Amino acid sequence: MDQRRYFEQLDASDPLRDMRALFDLRDDRVFFNGNSLGPPPRATANRLDEALRLWRDDMNAGWWDHGWLRLSTLTGDRIGEIIGAAPGQVVVGESTSVNLFKLLCGAMESQSGSERSVILTDPDNFPSDLYIADGVARYVQRQATVRRTPTDEIIDHIDSDVAVVMLSHVDYRTAQLLPMRRINERAHEAGALVLWDLSHSAGVVPVELDAAGTDLAVGCGYKYLNGGPGAPGYMYVAHRLLPRFEQPITGWLGHTRPFDFTAEYRPDAGIARLTTGCPPLLSLLALDEGVALTARADPVAVRAKSVALGESFIALSRARLARYGVEVTGPADSAQRGSHVSLRSAQAERLAKDLAARGFHLELRPPDLLRFGLAPLHIRYVDVFDCVAAMEELLAESVHGGPRR
Ligand SMILES: *Cc1c(COP(=O)(O)O)cnc(C)c1O
């Protein structure tokens, strides 16, 4: 059978095939960068239009009668359904970086009665996460030191000095998926807390925060949650930690009674204590639509398709691109892989540009990595086939000095 036909048939029997129509997609574009620059949900435009109408006609009604004031916690609970968190433990806040700052400070503070002073992380963690950890140690928790240990060894380095282990659930480059429950258990045995970054897992990889005994987590709104450009991120604090959990940016909306306008700060009893000021409302509405779309898909089908797309991408790349020096990076076992595949090529930069000209959008991670995000709600099996075929053609052209006859 014609190989492309085989992938068309996989699409025809894909249980998620109807989800694609919920996105405002152009036919001539494929978003392999859907894990940060993906297409908008169709419903987002209506939601924002409605907000603009309220803004014009009666903005006060928006805040009070249309639930804008409660939306940070409401959308938080909706995200909670996707990441296995019971209501009241997730809230939308600022950017992931700022949210991480808040939780890291709070985690260090809740360990302040102990001798523990180390923030343990991985040198290949997302740079912003590393910068934030360094900033916390430098400007706020001045007794703290940041220790960087490769993820493969991290579990053996959780000792009695460690206050907080801070890790990405899925690595932004290699897609390595870490065993959350095992690391939580090991850290808890040693008396440490764990703070997870779910940016590359939420919405595409099964996440069960409560069941895994997770303490703290942050995640990004504009990746697989489809929140759109600059969408705010979210924070999770487990119920058992929440009553004593403090964060350093104590603004009025984290107050238990903000509209009493009292001069003394008293934190809200619940997850709202993590918030600070007015939410970025228009972005929050867009995030809420993205989350609603994401939550409509069966998570088991999402993971199954994500794995199948990854396997297809890797098998096709090995078969058709290896001879041009293109190397598949990251874990070979799909059980340890998130939802993106990175290829290494000396021609990465040129390939990214030429693929974009053919409508395949992806991300370049310098110097030589091409990252393909496989968002199962809008990427089709034929998209994977066509993209690898396009890469093969482009690489053949560069070898033969012109298009193949
Ligand atoms: C995308 C991403 C972020 C994004 O941070 P912002 O502050 O929201 O821009 C943070 N951490 C990780 C691991 C990411 O992948």
Side-chain angles (χ1 to χ4, degrees):
M1 180 171 39
D2 173 344
Q3 219 185 358
R4 190 173 195 278
R5 181 95 195 91
Y6 167 76
F7 288 98
E8 282 170 0
Q9 286 180 359
L10 290 180
D11 286 320
S13 57
D14 171 11
L16 296 172
R17 63 184 177 276
D18 295 335
M19 296 296 297
R20 211 177 125 77
L22 301 177
F23 290 92
D24 191 1
L25 273 165
R26 286 170 50 150
D27 284 341
D28 58 349
R29 300 252 165 105
V30 183
F31 290 95
F32 285 112
N33 56 1
N35 51 349
S36 65
L37 304 163
R42 284 187 191 282
T44 302
N46 288 339
R47 190 74 182 276
L48 292 180
D49 274 349
E50 186 193 306
L52 287 172
R53 265 199 311 280
L54 279 168
W55 181 359
R56 183 191 60 196
D57 299 338
D58 192 354
M59 181 152 42
N60 218 21
W63 285 109
W64 293 102
D65 307 334
H66 292 261
W68 291 357
L69 263 176
R70 291 185 311 277
L71 196 56
S72 300
T73 47
L74 236 154
T75 307
D77 283 342
R78 290 190 176 125
I79 294 171
E81 284 176 32
I82 296 171
I83 57 179
Q89 302 176 102
V90 180
V91 69
V92 177
E94 282 76 29
S95 69
T96 308
S97 304
V98 174
N99 294 338
L100 188 67
F101 175 84
K102 287 176 161 181
L103 291 200
L104 202 48
C105 288
M108 292 304 287
E109 199 55 40
S110 51
Q111 293 278 38
S112 62
S114 72
E115 295 293 294
R116 300 164 183 281
S117 60
V118 170
I119 300 170
L120 181 64
T121 189
D122 156 22
D124 293 323
N125 204 343
F126 188 70
S128 196
D129 296 33
L130 297 176
Y131 308 156
I132 292 288
D134 288 345
V136 167
R138 180 167 178 159
Y139 299 108
V140 192
Q141 299 282 338
R142 293 195 173 162
Q143 80 297 354
T145 49
V146 182
R147 193 189 291 164
R148 299 181 180 183
T149 304
T151 36
D152 310 346
E153 301 161 27
I154 221 148
I155 217 152
D156 301 322
H157 283 80
I158 308 178
D159 57 30
S160 57
D161 293 336
V162 175
V164 189
V165 183
M166 182 192 87
L167 294 169
S168 286
H169 191 208
V170 168
D171 183 279
Y172 79 107
R173 272 186 295 227
T174 64
Q176 182 174 17
L177 170 62
L178 293 182
M180 181 181 283
R181 183 196 298 259
R182 196 152 67 79
I183 292 174
N184 287 344
E185 284 171 0
R186 175 68 198 98
H188 294 164
E189 276 165 28
L193 294 167
V194 189
L195 168 44
W196 290 98
D197 189 326
L198 308 175
S199 291
H200 285 279
S201 56
V204 76
V205 166
V207 183
E208 291 291 345
L209 293 185
D210 290 347
T214 297
D215 304 308
L216 305 162
V218 296
C220 184
Y222 55 77
K223 294 192 173 115
Y224 296 103
L225 297 184
N226 304 301
Y234 54 90
M235 295 166 270
Y236 164 90
V237 177
H239 269 314
R240 66 181 182 286
L241 300 175
L242 198 53
R244 276 165 287 107
F245 197 84
E246 295 176 34
Q247 58 90 7
I249 314 180
T250 48
W252 73 306
L253 286 187
H255 193 281
T256 179
R257 299 192 59 83
F259 293 93
D260 284 358
F261 300 99
T262 57
E264 305 306 324
Y265 183 75
R266 285 217 338 265
D268 181 76
I271 193 72
R273 65 171 51 201
L274 271 298
T275 64
T276 298
C278 280
L281 204 274
L282 299 178
S283 292
L284 178 54
L285 289 166
L287 173 63
D288 193 56
E289 279 307 324
V291 167
L293 188 163
T294 310
R296 278 173 70 165
D298 167 16
V300 174
V302 169
R303 177 61 175 163
K305 183 176 174 191
S306 157
V307 167
L309 288 171
E311 304 273 280
S312 301
F313 200 99
I314 289 170
L316 287 166
S317 299
R318 289 217 169 102
R320 304 177 69 157
L321 310 178
R323 81 186 75 130
Y324 299 105
V326 174
E327 186 198 329
V328 178
T329 68
D333 177 4
S334 57
Q336 292 173 34
R337 193 173 61 236
S339 199
H340 56 271
V341 174
S342 294
L343 301 181
R344 178 165 283 130
S345 164
Q347 306 189 55
E349 204 172 324
R350 189 182 65 84
L351 275 174
K353 205 161 117 268
D354 291 348
L355 284 169
R358 293 177 178 219
F360 297 106
H361 294 271
L362 55 117
E363 283 172 307
L364 183 65
R365 285 292 168 267
D368 57 358
L369 276 191
L370 296 168
R371 185 176 73 180
F372 300 84
L374 305 168
L377 305 190
H378 57 80
I379 296 284
R380 295 167 301 195
Y381 291 93
V382 277
D383 296 330
V384 165
F385 177 83
D386 289 344
C387 183
V388 176
M391 271 189 280
E392 185 183 26
E393 224 176 280
L394 290 165
L395 289 161
E397 274 174 25
S398 75
V399 169
H400 300 292
R404 274 191 302 182
R405 306 279 150 203

